[in-house]
Amino acid sequence: MEEIKENGFCEKIDKIHRQIQEEQNPGEKKILSQKLIVEVWKEVNLKWSQKYRIEDYNLEITMTTQNCLKNFDCTKNKEFSHYLLKALKQELQKAERKEQKITHNETAIEQESNADKEISLLDKISLKACEIHENTPEKNILLLSILENEFKKYDEAMKSELKNKKLEQKTIKTESALLTQLLLQDLNKASFGGLENRIKVFAQKYHFINPIIWENFFTNRILPTQTEVAISFGYTKSRARHILDGFFERIEKYNNM
């Protein structure tokens, strides 16, 4: 952190932050916010790459920066850059601990027997079609049933990819983030069928959910776009779309089993 301070990074970030605070035009404010995120990426990738596996944590860096922009209180914190660096360090340490735990558990997951995990998959379910406006017990049961089947299906697909090692870890992580973003986007459009409090705890049972995106949505109401998720992993939007399409093609095979 001291190395970052010495090269003028803090001054640069604080200057951009002041410009964001002073800017009245929403479009210009958004451009400045994106500029700040890019500067943070560049600096953290340069200075912290030996301590953390930065290439795996671009999403955490983006979401943390967005959260700091939203929550910074100048009456409680002297400088935005110090507030941001402290939050980034905490988030990267947290992400690293989670990664170590996942790695530790992967062997156990691979050794699990799939004999009792055969799932009766529903045919071509579209969460976008789940426009449930009436909060009736029957419709609640239907929505939860659809979600349960969909989430189980995606989880099995991700576990299979991990076990067979057919895809790179980065690709699987990108799939997870893109899929989580899409699910939350579709569910949000359907107002969660009035079951938001019950749906938000689903993530505890499934490995495919990206916890950063999931938690940030329910805690801070921040949901990145598909393009922002793609960029955070170093991909273009079209490449991200291709990755997501590839995942759903594999899901279709599960449907036909």
Side-chain angles (χ1 to χ4, degrees):
M1 221 160 107
E2 289 302 322
E3 292 179 0
I4 286 182
K5 290 180 184 180
E6 288 173 4
N7 71 356
F9 171 74
C10 290
E11 290 82 355
K12 184 187 298 183
I13 290 303
D14 287 330
K15 180 179 178 181
I16 298 174
H17 181 256
R18 284 194 296 272
Q19 291 174 337
I20 293 171
Q21 297 300 101
E22 295 168 1
E23 182 59 58
Q24 299 300 313
N25 185 299
E28 291 298 321
K29 189 181 284 284
K30 184 175 181 180
I31 290 172
L32 285 168
S33 297
Q34 291 173 341
K35 179 182 177 181
L36 186 143
I37 291 172
V38 170
E39 290 296 334
V40 172
W41 279 348
K42 285 160 53 178
E43 191 68 20
V44 172
N45 271 278
L46 178 66
K47 295 298 182 181
W48 288 357
S49 59
Q50 292 184 349
K51 188 171 184 179
Y52 304 104
R53 293 189 302 153
I54 299 298
E55 69 276 7
D56 291 338
Y57 300 137
N58 280 331
L59 184 61
E60 285 85 347
I61 293 169
T62 301
M63 300 301 288
T64 301
T65 305
Q66 288 178 334
N67 285 339
C68 286
L69 281 170
K70 178 181 177 182
N71 298 320
F72 179 72
D73 185 348
C74 61
T75 63
K76 297 180 180 179
N77 302 277
K78 187 176 180 181
E79 294 178 352
F80 176 76
S81 58
H82 293 175
Y83 175 77
L84 173 62
L85 286 173
K86 182 178 180 181
L88 281 171
K89 190 171 184 181
Q90 290 176 342
E91 187 59 37
L92 288 174
Q93 289 173 343
K94 178 182 174 184
E96 200 170 53
R97 287 194 295 269
K98 282 186 178 180
E99 187 66 28
Q100 290 171 352
K101 185 176 180 181
I102 290 171
T103 302
H104 177 74
N105 291 335
E106 274 181 6
T107 303
I109 292 173
E110 291 178 359
Q111 292 174 347
E112 285 181 1
S113 170
N114 290 321
D116 59 345
K117 293 189 176 183
E118 293 186 6
I119 302 167
S120 176
L121 303 178
L122 302 181
D123 185 38
K124 295 182 180 179
I125 296 171
S126 172
L127 289 176
K128 291 182 179 180
C130 294
E131 296 180 358
I132 299 176
H133 302 293
E134 298 176 21
N135 190 20
T136 63
E138 293 78 14
K139 288 191 174 183
N140 288 349
I141 291 171
L142 173 62
L143 177 58
L144 290 172
S145 176
I146 289 172
L147 286 175
E148 192 72 29
N149 278 280
E150 285 294 290
F151 280 35
K152 283 181 180 178
K153 182 168 48 175
Y154 301 152
D155 222 33
E156 287 299 319
M158 289 278 182
K159 285 182 182 179
S160 177
E161 289 170 359
L162 282 170
K163 182 177 181 180
N164 297 325
K165 298 181 180 178
K166 292 182 179 179
L167 296 176
E168 294 181 357
Q169 284 281 344
K170 181 181 177 182
T171 302
I172 295 175
K173 288 183 178 182
T174 305
E175 281 182 349
S176 172
L178 290 168
L179 186 57
T180 303
Q181 187 275 341
L182 181 62
L183 288 169
L184 284 172
Q185 177 178 282
D186 292 343
L187 286 166
N188 192 39
K189 286 180 181 177
S191 299
F192 293 88
L195 298 170
E196 183 171 318
N197 288 335
R198 294 182 66 179
I199 289 171
K200 71 181 181 182
V201 301
F202 270 29
Q204 298 174 5
K205 297 190 290 184
Y206 301 100
H207 294 85
F208 80 88
I209 288 288
N210 180 288
I212 299 295
I213 295 178
W214 191 267
E215 291 168 13
N216 266 282
F217 176 81
F218 287 108
T219 303
N220 301 306
R221 290 298 163 182
I222 294 176
L223 182 62
T225 64
Q226 188 177 100
T227 300
E228 289 171 335
V229 173
I231 291 173
S232 73
F233 283 94
Y235 293 123
T236 61
K237 182 179 179 181
S238 60
R239 174 57 181 157
R241 184 70 253 180
H242 178 74
I243 290 173
L244 199 56
D245 287 343
F247 177 78
F248 282 116
E249 285 176 9
R250 291 190 292 279
I251 288 297
E252 197 64 30
K253 294 179 182 179
Y254 278 83
N255 284 339
N256 296 324
M257 284 181 178

